[in-house]
Amino acid sequence: MRKIVHKELERQMSPSHWSHRMSADDVINAHVKTLKEGTEQAGALVQTLLNVSYGEGDGEKLDVYICGKTLLDVPLVIYLHGGYWQFFSKEESGFMAVPLISRDVVVVAVDYDIAPKGNIDLMVCQVRRSVVSVIKQFPHISGVYICGHSAGAHLTAMVLSTDWSQYGITPQIKGALLVSGIYDLLPILSTYVNEPLKMTEEDAVRNSPSLLVPQLKLSLSSCQIVVAFAENDSPEFRRQSVEYYNKLKESEISVTMEDVPNTDHFNVIEQLVDGEYCLTKLLVKMMGKS
């Protein structure tokens, strides 16, 4: 791989500059609006359990979008939001419940302490604990699935790479949808992304899923993984997804790759509000609900 000079790396780590639909500022504003509207729509359609604690911290809360009158023997999807570990929250993260409720799927949107309040180690620990808490609070579901976008895809991959021995429970995660994620944190150390995170090289190595594939293989017995990315993601985002997929494949992990046409870093996840969208259909099929 050719070495990317710093200025170009900064640009490649700025997803809004690669959208063909609108300007960088406009695509971000439209993204926020779309996610908020989708989440509001989901909240109006279903019963919700809001601000459910999964830990003692103020930011350790989750929202549950319940598909019907029962939580017995239904699949549950945990969504981990993006925002470069420094933006967004669960308040914009319930949108994917819109097409899933009619298929009797429960959706859980998780909050974690974004930077600068939280550092990368804390966020990884929090999302891992959120998964344990969901399984303990909803023990009669038929299976747990995790979906994450951008930084949330990184956190999802870190959940999949967990040594669960210290948690007293081994979640049976049946599937994971990783969308436009970052799996190697080393390239971002010298970029603007790291300014609020203040990651060291040791932090980045410890929290790079691309370096934790052996642990992932040990932790997962029968999990289907989909590594998806946008046609108009930056070359660096696309490279990281392809390389992570290849590492999983080489380790004989059940994984497929989806290069989603006519999408950018933002609408590749926004369209999960649509039941006919390719990634929605893929997720539904993964859960055996098609």
Side-chain angles (χ1 to χ4, degrees), residues 60-79:
E60 297 179 349
K61 300 287 194 298
L62 49 85
D63 291 344
V64 186
Y65 296 80
I66 301 173
C67 52
K69 296 180 180 179
T70 179
L71 289 172
L72 180 65
D73 200 32
V74 295
L76 182 148
V77 179
I78 296 172
Y79 180 71

Side-chain angles (χ1 to χ4, degrees), residues 110-124:
V110 175
D111 250 352
Y112 50 89
D113 284 325
I114 57 176
K117 180 179 181 181
N119 59 37
I120 199 74
D121 285 320
L122 175 61
M123 292 181 233
V124 169

Side-chain angles (χ1 to χ4, degrees), residues 7 27 50 90 94 104 144 191 211 214 217 231 246 266 282:
K7 185 176 181 180
V27 78
L50 303 179
K90 66 180 176 61
D104 294 329
V144 173
T191 71
L211 302 177
K217 187 171 183 179
E231 177 183 359
N246 286 335
F266 303 96
L282 194 153

Side-chain angles (χ1 to χ4, degrees), residues 111-265:
D111 250 352
Y112 50 89
D113 284 325
I114 57 176
K117 180 179 181 181
N119 59 37
I120 199 74
D121 285 320
L122 175 61
M123 292 181 233
V124 169
C125 180
Q126 286 178 321
V127 295
R128 286 169 170 168
R129 287 191 286 107
S130 77
V131 173
V132 171
S133 178
V134 165
I135 290 171
K136 288 182 176 179
Q137 292 189 59
F138 307 105
H140 302 300
I141 56 175
S142 64
V144 173
Y145 302 81
I146 309 180
C147 175
H149 172 240
S150 196
H154 161 265
L155 293 172
T156 299
M158 289 300 293
V159 169
L160 301 181
S161 308
T162 303
D163 176 359
W164 294 107
S165 59
Q166 61 181 301
Y167 292 87
I169 187 173
T170 301
Q172 297 303 307
I173 300 169
K174 292 188 174 182
L177 175 58
L178 312 178
V179 185
S180 293
I182 301 172
Y183 309 104
D184 177 5
L185 300 187
L186 288 169
I188 73 173
L189 289 178
S190 63
T191 71
Y192 75 96
V193 178
N194 195 36
E195 290 174 7
L197 293 168
K198 295 180 171 55
M199 277 192 299
T200 65
E201 183 174 342
E202 292 76 16
D203 295 334
V205 169
R206 187 170 56 250
N207 290 289
S208 286
S210 63
L211 302 177
L212 300 174
V213 173
Q215 180 60 56
L216 184 150
K217 187 171 183 179
L218 285 174
S219 299
L220 298 177
S221 55
S222 58
C223 178
Q224 302 175 54
I225 301 175
V226 176
V227 178
F229 51 92
E231 177 183 359
N232 294 318
D233 262 323
S234 75
E236 174 65 11
F237 269 85
R238 291 174 59 85
R239 177 193 71 81
Q240 290 216 13
S241 289
V242 171
E243 289 193 1
Y244 188 55
Y245 162 78
N246 286 335
K247 286 187 176 184
L248 295 176
K249 193 73 173 177
E250 289 166 4
S251 297
E252 299 182 336
I253 292 163
S254 177
V255 60
T256 57
M257 184 172 68
E258 296 290 329
D259 185 350
V260 187
N262 303 314
T263 57
D264 56 38
H265 189 79

